[in-house]
Amino acid sequence: MKKRKLGHSNLYVSEIGFGCMSLRTSEGEAIRIIHEAIDKGVNYFDTADLYDRGVNEEIVGKALKGKRHDVIIATKVGNRWTEQGNRWTWDPSKAYIKEAVKHSLRRLQTDYIDVYQLHGGTIDDPIDETIEAFEELQQEGVIRYYGISSMRPNVIREYVKRSRIVSVMMPYSLLDRRAEEWFPLLKQHHISVIARGPLAKGLLTERPLDQTSEEIKQNGYVDYLFDELVTLIPKLKAVAPNETLTAIALRFCLAHEVVATVVPGASRLAQLIENVAAQSVTLNDEQVALLKQLTKQTIFTDHR
């Protein structure tokens, strides 16, 4: 599989990565899917300490044991579970980050994390303190690089200006093009985009639309009413009729050079195979332009 350089790091990540949040807690099946992903050329695995209260990291750690030098592991920090374990609070403090990383390392069964990401962020955070925590962990060799997972413009702007992040993870798909507003700035600073949600909760897959969630049927998706999606999605598929909608969606994201990797999830082996098949598909400039014409580009509204 083709690889792209992640920002100004020396990491080269597979164009198709793996969003581990979608893995079920059935350990055996999850490990089988991860191993198959590696066999098909995937080397970037993205998890978080928040997912399944750390169980997701544990499964990823078990799956990647013995394969550590062949993969790039990214995880996230900042959301702190309460003692009751029924909700979490936001804690971007230096003390918490430096404590939480120890638990992630243990669960992942590794001595270092390739990309450690702040899992959110607000403009009211002690940003310099947060950055200092990541910088110290990098100097200590506990993490190789750091980034943020955020869709808040003011947060993105501050980290670009004040830190050495190599990546910004944000939602990006044909049905959610808000991230494009930030592509020029990130490219200028040699920071990559990690595209999460590239398949728009399954709307951009071969799954029939009538099987989508009731929430989307009632409330739509981002700026689209459900009725709009019913009309739009066949038009998107028609842009490259010989390809799957999944491949079209993933290749659209990768048509932008600032995007280093897309991280669709897969809870079943068939989904993984469909995702990875996109590596052999190309979209020409005309097709990309037509896809842009068919879809909306809006801007982020939460500037906190």
Side-chain angles (χ1 to χ4, degrees):
M1 185 183 293
K2 291 181 181 178
K3 295 181 174 64
R4 298 187 180 188
K5 189 176 182 181
L6 187 69
H8 50 82
S9 76
N10 65 358
L11 302 177
Y12 284 82
V13 296
S14 53
E15 288 187 333
I16 313 294
F18 195 105
C20 298
M21 184 175 70
S22 62
L23 289 171
R24 299 183 179 124
T25 51
S26 172
E27 186 177 297
E29 179 65 10
I31 290 174
R32 187 166 76 95
I33 293 171
I34 289 175
H35 286 177
E36 184 67 21
I38 295 171
D39 290 343
K40 292 187 177 301
V42 175
N43 80 338
Y44 180 83
F45 294 86
D46 190 281
T47 181
D49 59 2
L50 182 67
Y51 303 159
D52 298 318
R53 296 177 175 81
V55 173
N56 196 271
E57 283 186 328
E58 290 178 354
I59 291 174
V60 171
K62 289 179 181 178
L64 298 181
K65 191 173 183 179
K67 303 176 183 290
R68 182 66 183 95
H69 297 296
D70 300 322
V71 298
I72 293 169
I73 298 176
T75 192
K76 309 181 194 75
V77 66
N79 293 290
R80 185 173 194 161
W81 285 102
T82 61
E83 289 185 9
Q84 294 76 20
N86 57 350
R87 65 184 182 89
W88 61 85
T89 57
W90 178 239
D91 189 350
S93 68
K94 178 179 175 179
Y96 177 66
I97 290 170
K98 298 199 76 170
E99 179 63 28
V101 73
K102 298 175 185 177
H103 301 295
S104 286
L105 290 168
R106 174 181 53 79
R107 289 189 291 259
L108 289 165
Q109 299 186 48
T110 183
D111 296 326
Y112 65 95
I113 293 165
D114 296 292
V115 187
Y116 204 34
Q117 300 162 100
L118 184 68
H119 201 176
T122 76
I123 199 64
D124 299 320
D125 291 345
I127 293 176
D128 287 332
E129 177 185 326
T130 303
I131 293 170
E132 189 174 273
F134 285 113
E135 287 286 339
E136 289 182 6
L137 290 174
Q138 191 172 34
Q139 291 166 13
E140 294 163 8
V142 175
I143 66 174
R144 296 176 71 185
Y145 301 97
Y146 65 97
I148 61 173
S149 177
S150 178
M151 57 185 293
R152 290 175 171 163
N154 282 343
V155 173
I156 294 170
R157 190 180 294 112
E158 289 303 308
Y159 275 88
V160 168
K161 181 170 62 178
R162 296 156 68 174
S163 78
R164 296 190 301 152
I165 57 171
V166 299
S167 60
V168 177
M169 174 180 257
M170 59 176 81
Y172 183 50
S173 73
L174 272 167
L175 300 180
D176 185 356
R177 294 176 50 209
R178 293 172 294 174
E180 291 176 12
E181 177 185 357
W182 297 97
F183 286 3
L185 176 68
L186 297 177
K187 182 179 177 181
Q188 176 187 348
H189 289 270
H190 307 288
I191 297 168
S192 288
V193 170
I194 298 170
R196 68 175 175 87
L199 300 179
K201 294 188 176 180
L203 291 168
L204 297 173
T205 67
E206 300 304 292
R207 184 184 69 185
L209 263 182
D210 60 9
Q211 294 180 18
T212 196
S213 69
E214 287 302 316
E215 179 186 357
I216 291 177
K217 289 178 181 178
Q218 293 295 323
N219 302 318
Y221 183 79
V222 188
D223 289 324
Y224 295 91
L225 299 174
F226 183 68
D227 287 345
E228 290 181 288
L229 295 172
V230 171
T231 302
L232 172 63
I233 288 177
K235 293 179 182 178
L236 300 178
K237 178 74 168 70
V239 171
N242 295 326
E243 309 297 346
T244 65
L245 186 57
T246 296
I248 294 170
L250 297 180
R251 293 316 309 186
F252 173 80
C253 295
L254 290 164
H256 302 78
E257 60 182 346
V258 71
V259 177
T261 183
V262 294
V263 286
S267 58
R268 294 182 290 106
L269 194 57
Q271 292 172 331
L272 169 69
I273 292 170
E274 190 173 307
N275 294 342
V276 173
Q279 69 179 304
S280 60
V281 173
T282 57
L283 296 177
N284 60 41
D285 291 344
E286 290 182 3
Q287 289 171 315
V288 172
L290 180 53
L291 289 167
K292 287 185 175 181
Q293 290 174 17
L294 289 169
T295 55
K296 302 175 185 179
Q297 183 183 6
T298 54
I299 62 174
F300 288 120
T301 56
D302 191 343
H303 285 252
R304 291 173 295 164

